[in-house]
Amino acid sequence: MKAWTCGDTDNGDDEWGEEIKLAEQAVQAINKLNPKPKFFVLCGDLVHGMPGTLWRKNQVQDLKNVLKNTDQDIPLVFVSGNHDVGNSPTRETIDDYCKNWGDDYFSFWVGGVFFLVLNSQLFFDSSQCPELKQAQDVWLDEQLAVAEKQKCKHIIVFQHIPLFLSTPDEDHGYFNLEKSVREEIMEKFHKAGIKAVFAGHYHRNAGGSYKGLEMVVSSAIGCQLGEDTHGLRVVVVTEEKLVHRYYSLNELSSQGIEKELLDVLAKQK
């Protein structure tokens, strides 16, 4: 937040006390939620310090210290962002990430729903590690084949960089994927029946849809680049649909989930 405020994104990451407080508030809000969430996913840029920068290790340790207070019955799911593995990741930066936070791509099942976590930096620039991009691509095709066989209720993807921010054919920029890459992924996801892609990166709320595939872009617990507030997105998954809403940390801490989402959940029982 200091880097953004003072306009020095290279050297402004030497203070993060405010981020620690916000992360603590997020953990407290999640721990209070009733019913308890099935898991808590952080969609990337776990820390601000890029690989190899001065304050990165301290930031990583401070975030781990905060996250340790998450209710033990709420699993944590980590997604790698550009600040976590670098804008042009290498085998070394990805290995370093994996040592701290676990695999950079993986899948898991919860309640008949199939979740895929992807390393979107490999879609953005894999020039330093083309073999790792190829490995993720092969793995993804295998996972989608498994999903088709298993007849799962929904397939949901988590990645850091959005496919697009509002429309599938929008121009390429820093906050979305390059058009030809995007089109290939969108079509693959559509054919596989993926219901939604949840991403971060934009530090603002945004989103759109492509042939029934919902692209959901959530703002941040930390630095805001738009008009949104520090917050979290709560997602309710039912047999038929996904319902979600972005809450400010203050709102979620003080009031919890609104009645409308609770009613959706109640109908499932």
Side-chain angles (χ1 to χ4, degrees), residues 106-149:
F106 56 95
S107 63
F108 60 99
W109 291 84
V110 178
V113 178
F114 192 46
F115 295 92
L116 295 161
V117 169
L118 300 178
N119 180 347
S120 57
Q121 285 314 119
L122 297 174
F123 299 141
F124 179 80
D125 179 3
S126 62
S127 59
Q128 306 295 309
C129 54
E131 73 287 357
L132 297 184
K133 180 195 184 290
Q134 192 184 358
Q136 178 175 252
D137 288 347
V138 169
W139 172 87
L140 178 56
D141 288 341
E142 287 168 353
Q143 294 298 303
L144 295 177
V146 166
E148 190 179 9
K149 267 199 199 116

Side-chain angles (χ1 to χ4, degrees), residues 22-247:
L22 289 162
E24 286 171 344
Q25 192 182 353
V27 166
Q28 286 160 8
I30 288 159
N31 287 347
K32 278 164 58 178
L33 286 178
N34 184 21
K36 209 183 285 280
K38 295 289 186 192
F39 58 89
F40 170 32
V41 55
L42 289 160
C43 268
D45 281 358
L46 305 176
V47 296
H48 180 72
M50 287 278 193
T53 55
L54 183 59
W55 304 108
R56 181 181 170 94
K57 277 188 179 162
N58 302 60
Q59 291 177 4
V60 165
Q61 193 52 56
D62 283 348
L63 178 59
K64 286 181 179 179
N65 289 342
V66 172
L67 292 175
K68 276 177 191 164
N69 295 316
T70 310
D71 186 316
Q72 290 190 329
D73 294 328
I74 304 172
L76 295 166
V77 176
F78 299 115
V79 183
S80 63
N82 57 306
H83 283 258
D84 301 312
V85 296
N87 285 319
S88 303
T90 65
R91 184 175 282 279
E92 289 69 36
T93 64
I94 290 174
D95 282 350
D96 182 67
Y97 170 85
C98 293
K99 279 184 191 128
N100 276 301
W101 304 108
D103 291 338
D104 57 324
Y105 58 90
F106 56 95
S107 63
F108 60 99
W109 291 84
V110 178
V113 178
F114 192 46
F115 295 92
L116 295 161
V117 169
L118 300 178
N119 180 347
S120 57
Q121 285 314 119
L122 297 174
F123 299 141
F124 179 80
D125 179 3
S126 62
S127 59
Q128 306 295 309
C129 54
E131 73 287 357
L132 297 184
K133 180 195 184 290
Q134 192 184 358
Q136 178 175 252
D137 288 347
V138 169
W139 172 87
L140 178 56
D141 288 341
E142 287 168 353
Q143 294 298 303
L144 295 177
V146 166
E148 190 179 9
K149 267 199 199 116
Q150 298 284 347
K151 299 282 184 281
C152 43
K153 289 168 187 164
H154 307 296
I155 313 170
I156 296 169
V157 170
F158 299 115
Q159 61 185 59
H160 179 61
I161 303 178
L163 299 171
F164 56 89
L165 299 173
S166 54
T167 56
D169 59 350
E170 69 196 20
D171 290 341
H172 171 51
Y174 177 75
F175 289 111
N176 59 15
L177 288 178
E178 194 270 318
K179 270 181 143 176
S180 63
V181 175
R182 179 196 317 167
E183 282 159 9
E184 186 185 333
I185 296 170
M186 287 190 311
E187 201 46 39
K188 179 182 283 194
F189 284 3
H190 165 65
K191 281 184 178 152
I194 288 172
K195 197 75 161 226
V197 176
F198 288 88
H201 194 47
Y202 193 44
H203 292 256
R204 284 155 279 200
N205 288 310
S209 64
Y210 171 80
K211 296 184 181 174
L213 166 71
E214 189 180 8
M215 181 68 243
V216 184
V217 184
S218 297
S219 196
I221 290 170
C223 186
Q224 302 299 314
L225 302 188
E227 302 303 310
D228 299 296
T229 49
H230 308 286
L232 295 163
R233 188 174 297 277
V234 175
V235 185
V236 173
V237 184
T238 73
E239 290 261 0
E240 298 80 32
K241 60 186 176 179
L242 273 68
V243 187
H244 52 84
R245 191 186 147 206
Y246 186 85
Y247 290 88

